[in-house]
């Protein structure tokens, strides 16, 4: 099979990449949209317009870097959900146009499946494995049994973990996105200063909840006068919050491993998988349960087109091309996929 062109436009990252059938990244490029910072979050209309303006140029860049013509590709894959519908329409529309003009197969990639399969690209992970998917919009434990074969073991009942990081970051005056800035701030803080709650810890199953933890942080912040918090106090709050999140994740994942006794592999993916404390804590859980922890390189944790291209490779190997009439969808749970 010839190389796959992948396109990512599900939120605020505009990206294109080309990946060979053997998992060699031939070219990749990504632009993070900075236009949303002033609004404290992603504005869908602005995101869609930015994708439309930048995506054709990014596709041209990766095609030139890879030294390929469109007709020499094996197919074109695009994130087609879940995500912001405007961006999904732009990305899938560009992919369909290329596929139609060059006579190539089109693959409508589930964005969550792209995250789920990244470890197979980077580490050759075999099925089955337990996936902890943690990002700004998702937080769930999934039994990955094959391409298109997913069994949800548990998920968040309120906020996603990345959303909680962003909201707490905003409470601490860190701006948006809050997750990376909060991790940097927490590095200088005392994680034991504030006894924040550990929601659902010890409960059966592997569901998550972060709303109460976020509220507890807000209540501590509210005890200070208006304005910027003292630097050390802000660092202590950040560190205590991050520690609480890590302990909750460890507990929930430990329960998920018990629910999936057949696995010998724990994979963590999504933007929050870049958090150093979370990786270290999950390594302890993996060691205790005698399974191997796999986390993709940091650049492949956040939204990117490499994972989309690889998901396209995996699906096209099984003959799972999609008609050009396939509509992007803002909601598309993994469990809805079929091989």
């Amino acid at each position: 099979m010839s190389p796959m062109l992948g396109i990512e436009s599900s939120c605020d990252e505009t990206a294109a990449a080309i990946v060979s059938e053997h998992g060699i990244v031939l070219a990749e490029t990504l632009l993070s949209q900075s236009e949303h910072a002033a609004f404290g979050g992603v504005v869908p209309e602005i995101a869609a317009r930015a994708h439309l303006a930048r995506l054709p140029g990014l596709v041209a860049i990766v095609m030139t870097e890879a030294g390929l013509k469109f007709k020499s590709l094996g197919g074109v894959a695009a994130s087609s959900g879940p995500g912001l519908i405007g961006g999904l329409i732009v990305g899938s529309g560009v992919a369909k146009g290329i596929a139609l003009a060059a006579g190539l197969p089109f693959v409508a990639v589930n964005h969550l499946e792209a995250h789920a399969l990244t470890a197979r690209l980077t580490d050759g992970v075999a099925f089955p494995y337990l996936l902890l998917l943690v990002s700004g919009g998702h937080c769930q434990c999934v039994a990955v049994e094959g391409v298109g074969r997913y069994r949800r073991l548990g998920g968040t009942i309120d906020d996603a973990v990345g959303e909680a990081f962003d909201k707490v970051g905003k409470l601490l005056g860190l701006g948006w996105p809050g997750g990376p800035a909060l991790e940097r701030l927490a590095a200088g803080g005392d994680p034991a200063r504030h006894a924040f709650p550990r929601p659902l810890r010890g409960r059966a199953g592997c569901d998550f909840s972060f709303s109460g933890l976020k509220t507890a942080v807000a209540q501590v912040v509210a005890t200070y006068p208006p304005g910027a918090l003292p630097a050390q106090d802000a660092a202590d709050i950040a560190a205590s919050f991050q520690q609480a999140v890590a302990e909750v994740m460890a507990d929930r994942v430990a329960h998920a491993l018990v629910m999936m006794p057949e696995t010998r592999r724990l994979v963590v993916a999504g933007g929050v998988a870049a958090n150093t404390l979370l990786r270290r804590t999950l390594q302890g859980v993996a060691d205790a349960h005698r399974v191997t922890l796999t986390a993709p390189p940091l650049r492949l944790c956040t939204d990117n087109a490499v994972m989309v291209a690889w998901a396209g490779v995996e699906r096209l190997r099984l003959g799972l091309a999609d008609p050009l009439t396939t509509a992007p969808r803002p909601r598309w749970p993994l469990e809805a996929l079929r091989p």
Side-chain angles (χ1 to χ4, degrees):
M1 187 172 73
S2 300
M4 178 73 63
L5 169 64
I7 290 173
E8 161 59 25
S9 61
S10 64
C11 191
D12 62 326
E13 309 284 357
T14 311
I18 300 175
V19 177
S20 77
E21 64 173 314
H22 303 296
I24 299 172
V25 179
L26 303 178
E28 61 177 304
T29 185
L30 180 148
L31 286 176
S32 296
Q33 299 174 4
S34 59
E35 296 92 332
H36 309 282
F39 302 96
V42 179
V43 181
E45 173 98 6
I46 293 175
R49 289 178 180 273
H51 289 311
L52 185 61
R54 297 167 181 170
L55 193 51
L58 296 188
V59 170
I61 288 172
V62 295
M63 293 299 295
T64 299
E65 287 186 358
L68 296 172
K69 301 294 185 183
F70 286 124
K71 289 186 179 295
S72 61
L73 293 171
V76 187
S79 287
S80 299
L84 301 178
I85 190 63
L88 295 172
I89 289 172
V90 172
S92 62
V94 170
K96 290 175 182 178
I98 295 170
L100 179 63
L104 300 171
F106 167 69
V107 184
V109 170
N110 181 297
H111 180 80
L112 304 183
E113 181 170 49
H115 278 299
L117 297 176
T118 300
R120 288 176 51 76
L121 166 67
T122 59
D123 294 85
V125 175
F127 300 119
Y129 52 89
L130 173 65
L131 169 70
L132 172 63
L133 180 58
V134 281
S135 68
H138 304 279
C139 183
Q140 52 189 293
C141 290
V142 180
V144 181
E145 298 168 340
V147 175
R149 296 169 54 200
Y150 303 95
R151 182 163 47 91
R152 189 175 186 270
L153 303 177
T156 183
I157 61 176
D158 41 57
D159 293 346
V161 62
E163 181 184 2
F165 266 95
D166 285 341
K167 288 180 177 178
V168 170
K170 188 173 184 179
L171 287 171
L172 297 178
L174 300 179
W176 180 90
L182 188 146
E183 182 179 6
R184 290 192 295 270
L185 178 63
D190 177 6
R193 179 175 173 186
H194 297 283
F196 290 133
R198 273 62 169 164
L200 300 185
R201 186 172 65 176
R203 301 279 186 92
C206 58
D207 284 336
F208 300 84
S209 173
F210 297 102
S211 180
L213 173 57
K214 178 192 65 182
T215 300
V217 174
Q219 290 172 340
V220 170
V221 173
T223 63
Y224 290 84
L229 297 177
Q232 189 59 53
D233 290 353
D236 291 345
I237 292 171
S240 298
F241 164 76
Q242 185 177 246
Q243 183 65 37
V245 170
E247 291 183 15
V248 166
M249 301 298 264
D251 176 80
R252 303 287 79 199
V253 168
H255 282 240
L257 286 169
V258 173
M259 297 168 68
M260 193 183 176
E262 69 274 21
T263 188
R264 306 308 328 143
R265 180 83 66 158
L266 167 62
V267 172
V268 58
V272 183
N275 183 277
T276 303
L277 177 62
L278 178 60
R279 287 192 180 215
R280 189 165 65 246
T281 304
L282 292 176
Q283 184 63 64
V285 175
D287 292 343
H289 287 261
R290 298 182 179 180
V291 301
T292 301
L293 173 67
T294 298
L298 298 183
R299 82 179 203 284
L300 298 183
C301 288
T302 53
D303 294 346
N304 63 89
V306 171
M307 68 178 189
V308 176
W310 178 249
V313 169
E314 292 256 38
R315 294 189 69 79
L316 203 55
R317 279 176 179 166
L318 302 177
L320 301 176
D322 296 285
L324 296 179
T325 54
T326 302
R329 57 197 87 175
R331 297 183 182 276
W332 192 7
L334 277 172
E335 311 90 271
L337 291 173
R338 293 292 181 270

